[in-house]
Amino acid sequence: MEPLRLALWQTAHPAESTEALARLDSAAREAAAQGAHWLITPEMFLTGYLIAPERLAAHAEPADGLLLQAVRGIARRRGIGVVTGWPEANGDAPPFNSVTAIDENGALLAVHRKIHLFGAGDAQRFTPGTDPPARFDWRGWHLGLLICFDVEHDEPLRQLADAGAQAVLVPTANMVGYDEVQQTRLPEAARRFGMAIAYANACGREGDTVYNGLSTVCTHKGQRLGALARHEAMLQAALTAPPSTPLCRTRA
């Protein structure tokens, strides 16, 4: 099986969706030119994250809405898979904080709705997801999706590991003051659950919130394969599949 080549795009949230799509197109072109199979953006990249709840709700769309149609076009045009997030419409209730995996042909492979909301910021804006973590297959790889605070809880990781996932792709918006997530939690969790973790964080400021960067890729053995500092950058990393991927690896 060929290595899984990832590009983690550590960047600030856009002011509006038109800017997000233009910047995503440019980043996808750059990542593809460097040989990446998948580009991972920060959490809620397509609309902004901690914007006014009513503004966020006004941007909510289903998975077949215009925003993801545009992302599918970018993925197809640039020949690279894209993992990115948006507010998913949820009827009259607050939207879900969702992420999708769209492959290099523009096919939507999976959608994950954030299960573990973080603090008042999430609670004021989103409805928590109740489905198990999303899992999908791509060129022989068994991959999972989580969002930010999800990866700080064991159960979603255990569910993915028991389903045979080899790597989990995690758009996130972790803040200053929580560096221990990247420094300690990610390598520990990757080793314990036997899955690589690719954690693409935001940087810069959004309103009063400052994101801490430090986007990180850990192998299934918990070894740090690459990490960024605080500022905007793109991290390229190639994952090699473990020699075997038995189910129920979570007791190790």
Side-chain angles (χ1 to χ4, degrees), residues 12 18 25 33-34 47 52 55 58 99 155 159 175 198:
T18 52
D25 185 54
Q34 295 181 28
T47 60
R55 183 181 164 205
V99 62
E155 186 56 24
Q159 289 176 305
M175 298 161 284

Side-chain angles (χ1 to χ4, degrees), residues 14-69:
E16 55 183 276
S17 293
T18 52
E19 176 192 343
L21 292 171
R23 288 172 53 194
L24 180 65
D25 185 54
S26 178
R29 181 181 61 220
E30 176 186 346
Q34 295 181 28
H37 295 130
W38 286 90
L39 171 68
I40 312 171
T41 79
E43 179 180 5
M44 290 294 296
F45 177 75
L46 294 179
T47 60
Y49 178 24
L50 294 178
I51 59 177
E54 56 276 8
R55 183 181 164 205
L56 189 79
H59 287 306
E61 293 187 1
D64 59 357
L66 294 177
L67 269 178
L68 291 197
Q69 288 181 34

Side-chain angles (χ1 to χ4, degrees), residues 4-252:
L4 181 68
R5 296 192 295 273
L6 304 174
L8 281 64
W9 184 27
Q10 182 170 290
T11 188
H13 286 90
E16 55 183 276
S17 293
T18 52
E19 176 192 343
L21 292 171
R23 288 172 53 194
L24 180 65
D25 185 54
S26 178
R29 181 181 61 220
E30 176 186 346
Q34 295 181 28
H37 295 130
W38 286 90
L39 171 68
I40 312 171
T41 79
E43 179 180 5
M44 290 294 296
F45 177 75
L46 294 179
T47 60
Y49 178 24
L50 294 178
I51 59 177
E54 56 276 8
R55 183 181 164 205
L56 189 79
H59 287 306
E61 293 187 1
D64 59 357
L66 294 177
L67 269 178
L68 291 197
Q69 288 181 34
V71 176
R72 293 172 76 169
I74 290 170
R76 191 163 47 243
R77 183 165 61 254
R78 301 305 180 190
I80 187 172
V82 176
V83 172
T84 193
W86 89 107
E88 184 184 1
N90 182 30
D92 293 331
F96 297 108
N97 179 334
S98 293
V99 62
T100 184
I102 294 168
D103 75 9
E104 71 278 11
N105 299 311
L108 194 154
L109 301 185
V111 170
H112 172 70
R113 297 165 175 170
K114 189 176 184 180
I115 301 166
H116 296 282
L117 302 184
F118 181 80
D122 269 358
Q124 292 168 0
R125 292 167 172 82
F126 301 108
T127 295
T130 57
D131 294 333
R135 179 191 172 284
F136 64 99
D137 295 332
W138 183 82
R139 294 189 187 179
W141 281 86
H142 308 311
L143 304 174
L145 297 175
L146 292 176
I147 301 173
C148 200
F149 200 35
D150 286 339
V151 82
E152 298 180 47
H153 293 76
D154 282 356
E155 186 56 24
L157 290 166
R158 181 176 293 112
Q159 289 176 305
L160 285 172
D162 286 350
Q166 299 157 305
V168 56
L169 314 181
V170 189
T172 186
N174 192 23
M175 298 161 284
V176 165
Y178 296 93
D179 288 9
E180 68 273 11
V181 175
Q182 292 97 312
Q183 294 172 350
T184 303
R185 167 65 181 176
L186 298 185
E188 182 273 336
R191 179 198 60 76
R192 186 153 53 91
F193 290 101
M195 290 185 301
I197 298 176
Y199 185 92
N201 196 23
C203 62
R205 179 184 294 272
E206 189 179 35
D208 294 330
T209 301
V210 181
Y211 299 111
N212 70 350
L214 305 178
S215 295
T216 301
V217 178
C218 295
T219 73
H220 66 282
K221 294 182 178 181
Q223 299 165 336
R224 200 179 302 277
L225 193 60
L228 295 176
R230 304 286 185 184
H231 305 294
E232 177 155 354
M234 191 176 290
L235 173 62
Q236 298 275 350
L239 293 174
T240 302
S244 63
T245 55
L247 301 184
C248 300
R249 295 166 295 172
T250 61
R251 309 297 183 259

